[in-house]
Amino acid sequence: MRLDKWLKVSRLIKRRTVANEACDGQRVSSNGRTVKASYDVKVGDVLEFRFGERVTRVEVLSVGEHVGKGEAAAMYKEL
C-alpha cells in the first residue's frame, strides 16, 4: 500500500493530500531514509514523520485497504 494512503487509513494524518504534501516536503522517513508518497509500506517498517517540533515514530503492524475507526490504532505501535 502507498505510504500516503496508509497514513490516511491508519488515521495518523487526517487527509491523503496532507500526507502527500508531508512526503513531498521530505518530512517522512522509513527505516532511516526519506521516502516519497509512493513508497510501498510493509509490516515491520519504522516510520518517522515531523510536523514542526513534534516527531512521531511508529512501527507498522498491519496493512489493510479498508479499516474501521476502531481498528485504525491497531495498525501501528508508537515508539
Side-chain angles (χ1 to χ4, degrees):
M1 175 185 291
R2 287 175 55 103
L3 175 60
D4 57 346
K5 185 171 182 179
W6 187 87
L7 288 169
K8 184 216 177 279
V9 170
S10 67
R11 291 174 169 76
L12 285 169
I13 295 181
K14 198 173 216 177
R15 293 189 186 92
R16 189 168 175 179
T17 54
V18 175
N20 206 325
E21 290 169 4
C23 294
D24 289 345
Q26 297 183 342
R27 293 186 301 234
V28 181
S29 63
S30 174
N31 302 321
R33 61 177 235 261
T34 305
V35 292
K36 295 184 178 183
S38 62
Y39 174 76
D40 188 32
V41 177
K42 297 171 282 308
V43 173
D45 283 349
V46 175
L47 303 175
E48 180 176 295
F49 45 99
R50 297 169 291 288
F51 285 108
E53 296 294 316
R54 196 176 107 187
V55 177
T56 304
R57 289 182 49 144
V58 297
E59 180 181 351
V60 178
L61 299 178
S62 71
V63 178
E65 292 286 326
H66 304 287
V67 178
K69 192 178 195 180
E71 298 130 20
M75 293 181 71
Y76 61 90
K77 174 177 70 171
E78 286 200 44
L79 303 175

